[in-house]
Amino acid sequence: MTSNIIAIRAAQTQVPQLRTQLRALHTEAMANDGVIDADEQAEIDELEGMIDSAQRLVTERLQAWETNKTAYERLRSDLESSLDKVASNESDALSRDKRAISTAAARVDQTAATEDYAAALVLVKELKRRVELFLQQAENERLNGLTSEELAQISLADDAIEEVFTEEYMQALMTIEFKGEGTPELKDLIKKIEKGLSSTNRTEVIEDLADVVGKPPSAAELDADYARFLILCKQRDAIGDEGGHAVPDPVDEEKHPDFVGSHEQLMFGKVLGDALGIHEVFATLLSPTGGLVGPGNDLIPGYVSSPHLSPDNPIALHGTVHDAAGYLDSYHNDGPGYNYMDSDFDAGLAATLEFFGAEALLPLTGQVSGIAYWTAEAGDEYVEARFDEGVVALEKMLEDARDSASDQIDEIVFAIEEAKQEMSDAADSIKDSIVDAAKVAEQELQELADEIEAEVLEARDAFEDGVDKVSRAAVETYEEASAAARSLGEGAKEKLNALANFIWN
Amino acid sequence: MTTIRIHPSELAYAFSYSSTVDVVGWGRDPFLPSTEADGDPKEWYANGAARLSAAGRLTGTSDKDLNFTDEMTADVLALVDPVLVLLAERKEGDGLQRLTIHMKKDTVLGMMHTPDGMFELTHYADLTAAVVACVGFLGAARAPVQAGTRIDSNQEALQKVHQLATTGQNESAIASLVELGATEQDAASILQAMAKPTAAGMLSILYCTNNIAQTARPYSVMTTAEDETWILFPPASLEGPMVLERSSVSALTARVLIEVATWLKITT
């Protein structure tokens, strides 16, 4: 049985027939002598089993059919505007593909008309790939007509770029594997592509590449990615030149003989490729040393043969993503900028703060959002003054929360001995009055006291350690320390300098 | 709370894998070899790797399964990609001493440079402990604030008071403070805090993305010989008001925690 609705409906009609048959069998068994003997019962059970099985199968198939139908209709609907774009394309070079897509679309619709959505889904997925490929080729054709200066003014980033620089994406990278990684075949093909493909070897190299890293992607899809790669190279060189960034160096194979085609290089390529909408193999070639993290690679020139850290180590992953973000910014005027890996205050921090009444701040959030919106609507000159007013008002509103937190911190840091004594007194009191229960109660109270003590001691010890650190800390000149300004944004630096004037001037 | 001592070459070696060389609050220089003593970068990294391996922070070999321990990995990520940094700078003569706190996920890591060139890394259980450590480092008063004094003014006016106080023009300084709303007793205490503090410094809350402090909330912290602490801070922009407030260990810790909590609620 297939998930085709005709077969499913046919099966559905069999179920009532089987039930009729079952009733007849039951009546016949009773008619003979008024009882159902063992053989008759076995026959009835067998038929009941068949009915249950048929019913279950019908239900499952019907669900599968409905799932396929929904998936098909969504995909088909999503394709509508893309098919319109294909239909309106007038490129001679793509006219054959355009006709093929038109035929394929008709076939999809014909299949769907028979309500065989399993088959229609397969066909519409294939159609989607063909349409996407067509549109990429058409876009490549358009971009090929632009000058370097024009390319430098536009974004070639993929729509998915926003998803690339997130914690979830980075987590997924940890377990990723690449077809062909570390093989001599892939290394050889990357080196051929790096040299540039001619009209004579392009088809052969791309087909070989599809054999190693595909399929999918198909050779045609890889070829379209290669065409986009060439356009991205043009943009890279134009924007890099404008910003004073040299064309990225090739990999020094004497220093890093295993890097080309390695997991580390493809990892970098994956991040960049997802951001720019091309296969990782081509993306690696935009910045061949990208992902080459570790001592000496670019921090200090001259350091040879660094070892490779396990590529799934979060530090190495961070380095790879950092490299990709830096490259996108420098050579494509694109990427996440300062918002990448957005601040991820975790639940642990939230819990700590809630202890001090941060929950009470919740209603203020909406108010501040309102202020932010209001000021955004106002003129530039007015914004800062209004925002200051809002923030100052908020700061004053938080006085009660601060006072409450302050009292608790006093308790934590300075009142521990008193608290311990109270606990101990309570334990003694119970022990004296209820002898049998005292041991248990004392134990429980002691455990509670230990628990509180551990939490409180941490803060108290941290305070004492902070005080003690003064005797152990190195003394630096103010000028030495101000080198740290390298990691401060302009606004942050200005504020720190203003406040420092009250201390060091 | 645990503290380890670590050589800068160990940190440099680990940072290199993150493609990051600057640490918020420290820059890059403390982690690079000096041109005189440890001039050869190759030696510097080799030394860092050897020290990390010897301490059990780096496992495997350069040929096989080289990896940092989970704790070292978390520490390095907190240092090179923090979401929050607390920078405590304590005035010492014309110079300063630094204690920084770096937060990422569950890691709350303190870092301090010691005179022998080593770094101390301290793991704190939570932000409260870390803030209290910074406030202790800056020498804030232990006694809680009984009657709070708060003077809302602006940068220009308070700079003028500071200038009068630090150039010995005590009467004028006190008169200016009284004009701003301080009692004579408080004005005398503020004068002492500005002119002759027994401990002074700054505590800056730095909100970071992409390893850059994008937003700063700094507090100047000054404590007198009578164990009275005064803090100065701009609650909004520098063009807005500037506040002078009586403070203490608990008051300043609470202020910092509530400030971070508010930021958390607004930005997430």
Side-chain angles (χ1 to χ4, degrees), chain A residues 82-129:
Chain A
S82 298
L83 283 169
D84 288 345
K85 285 182 193 166
V86 172
S88 63
N89 187 284
E90 293 175 357
S91 163
D92 289 340
L94 294 171
S95 61
R96 201 169 140 191
D97 294 332
K98 181 175 157 179
R99 281 196 300 278
I101 285 173
S102 175
T103 305
R107 194 172 160 220
V108 166
D109 292 342
Q110 283 162 9
T111 307
T114 67
E115 296 189 295
D116 184 354
Y117 288 109
L121 186 58
V122 172
L123 289 174
V124 81
K125 281 181 180 171
E126 177 55 29
L127 178 63
K128 182 171 182 273
R129 290 174 70 91

Side-chain angles (χ1 to χ4, degrees), chain B residues 186-249:
Chain B
D186 282 343
S189 176
I190 295 166
L191 179 70
Q192 286 298 310
M194 286 183 170
K196 292 177 183 171
T198 50
M202 278 172 62
L203 179 57
S204 306
I205 308 169
L206 306 173
Y207 298 102
C208 307
T209 49
N210 201 10
N211 201 33
I212 301 280
Q214 309 291 352
T215 304
R217 302 297 296 263
Y219 298 87
S220 292
V221 184
M222 300 159 284
T223 301
T224 69
E226 286 74 36
D227 205 26
E228 291 182 325
T229 294
W230 293 90
I231 60 171
L232 254 170
F233 62 95
S237 74
L238 285 171
E239 284 67 41
M242 191 167 273
V243 176
L244 180 57
E245 185 178 86
R246 187 187 284 276
S247 195
S248 68
V249 170

Side-chain angles (χ1 to χ4, degrees), chain B residues 97-147:
Chain B
Q97 296 171 297
R98 258 184 291 183
L99 169 64
T100 54
I101 307 292
H102 305 257
M103 278 198 73
K104 186 177 178 71
K105 297 190 174 173
D106 294 333
T107 303
V108 186
L109 185 71
M111 184 153 88
M112 189 184 82
H113 210 184
T114 55
D116 60 1
M118 298 290 280
F119 279 89
E120 263 191 26
L121 298 183
T122 302
H123 290 101
Y124 295 101
D126 52 33
L127 184 61
T128 309
V131 176
V132 167
C134 287
V135 173
F137 183 77
L138 290 171
R142 295 181 183 223
V145 174
Q146 298 298 337

